[in-house]
Amino acid sequence: MLAVFAKTIANPPEELSFPIMGSNNSNTPKEILEKFQSLWPNDSAIYNLPHGNFMALSHHDETPIHPRSIVVVDDIFCIFVGTLENTAELRHYYGLQRQATEAMIVIEAYKVLRDRAPYPPDQVVKELHGKFAFIIFDVKTNTLFLARDREGSVEFQWGVASDGSLVCGDDPKIIREGCGKCCAPFPPGCIFINGSGLTSFDHPLNKVKGIVQEDDDGNMKSVYFQVDLFTRIPSIPRSGSAANWADPVESVKGEQMFDI
């Protein structure tokens, strides 16, 4: 899977695009898409979204353990990779038919959360048991929602293109080649919402920090995201589902970025 969202829409974490000494060989979104299509010309589907955003999917090298799918419901696009272990329970909870796929379940969970849920997003994702990563984009509200399971069972990377767009997908090579040094693994056990930032399932009230690693010459070589357990974000009383998207949140330490 591959998805690119304009900087004004995605509002990616600034840690992904920290100033780098020398040239960062990142590509434009168009060049990244052309690379994706060149790798699988007969096995890729491209979904063009407003403002130059797009989502793409290929079933190349797909495994039964981590299948890929894309679903569009009510102008909500969802790419889902992996499997859920509690699909029957979730279908019943959200009132879905037995034929509902994991991507459909995730979209319904998002719709309930967006429209009427009285609890924050991390609580919803905690109810998803399995090995997964997903990308949701709501065209009507320009909401971007990313998530990866707690164990990081499914490959999921994110980075920044040359124009500041957020790039995310499950192919590390495409992300590295497209984003240069401005990329990192998406931290396991986390969600990212463009309106409220990066959030941990388990520590939603601690500040998220992007940790930059440097080589002996002071050049950035990698970055990872980590919860600052000593810094808590003040909680502000809220009411209504609309406020849930701005909940103060945090993130757990993720994998390190590929050394450059």
Side-chain angles (χ1 to χ4, degrees):
M1 66 174 172
L2 175 69
V4 176
F5 301 94
K7 181 179 181 179
T8 54
I9 297 294
N11 191 25
E14 62 177 2
E15 292 89 345
L16 284 177
S17 55
F18 273 156
I20 299 172
M21 296 179 63
S23 174
N24 180 45
N25 298 320
S26 58
N27 299 142
T28 65
K30 181 180 179 181
E31 291 170 333
I32 295 172
L33 178 58
E34 289 175 348
K35 177 65 175 179
F36 181 86
Q37 291 178 303
S38 69
L39 291 173
W40 305 291
N42 301 317
D43 182 23
S44 61
I46 312 299
Y47 295 79
N48 292 309
L49 305 171
H51 311 296
N53 303 317
F54 68 83
M55 300 172 76
L57 182 72
S58 171
H59 293 287
H60 182 77
D61 285 341
E62 182 179 271
T63 68
I65 299 177
H66 297 152
R68 306 183 188 105
S69 63
I70 186 166
V71 170
V72 184
V73 178
D74 297 332
D75 289 328
I76 301 171
F77 291 72
C78 176
I79 295 182
F80 187 96
V81 180
T83 55
L84 295 177
E85 300 168 357
N86 59 333
T87 53
E89 176 186 341
L90 292 169
R91 287 176 187 137
H92 177 74
Y93 181 80
Y94 290 112
L96 298 172
Q97 297 181 349
R98 293 180 59 184
Q99 295 80 6
T101 64
E102 281 96 340
M104 294 176 182
I105 291 171
V106 168
I107 286 181
E108 190 62 29
Y110 163 77
K111 289 171 64 177
V112 169
L113 182 64
R114 179 195 65 185
D115 298 336
R116 57 186 182 276
Y119 39 82
D122 60 277
Q123 294 296 321
V124 172
V125 182
K126 279 183 180 179
E127 297 172 357
L128 307 178
H129 302 158
K131 301 177 179 181
F132 63 86
F134 65 76
I135 303 169
I136 285 179
F137 185 68
D138 186 339
V139 173
K140 293 180 180 178
T141 63
N142 284 330
T143 299
L144 175 64
F145 189 177
L146 313 176
R148 190 182 187 193
D149 71 75
R150 183 178 282 107
E151 285 72 37
S153 308
V154 174
E155 190 71 62
F156 196 29
Q157 308 283 325
W158 62 347
V160 177
S162 61
D163 66 349
S165 296
L166 179 66
V167 183
C168 43
D170 64 348
D171 190 318
K173 184 177 180 180
I174 289 180
I175 304 298
R176 285 201 308 270
E177 291 182 358
C179 302
K181 294 182 179 181
C182 294
C183 67
F186 189 89
C190 287
I191 61 177
F192 173 79
I193 300 172
N194 56 352
S196 55
L198 192 60
T199 311
S200 166
F201 298 172
D202 300 317
H203 307 280
L205 295 178
N206 292 84
K207 186 176 180 180
V208 178
K209 297 182 67 175
I211 309 300
V212 173
Q213 294 188 323
E214 299 179 344
D215 59 24
D216 294 338
D217 297 323
N219 298 317
M220 189 187 84
K221 66 174 184 177
S222 63
V223 64
Y224 61 90
F225 294 89
Q226 183 178 20
V227 170
D228 183 353
L229 295 178
F230 299 99
T231 303
R232 292 177 64 85
I233 300 174
S235 179
I236 302 174
R238 299 171 303 278
S239 62
S241 61
N244 291 333
W245 293 106
D247 279 351
V249 289
E250 71 166 296
S251 143
V252 296
K253 180 176 180 180
E255 309 156 72
Q256 292 186 1
M257 186 182 79
F258 299 93
D259 288 345
I260 305 298

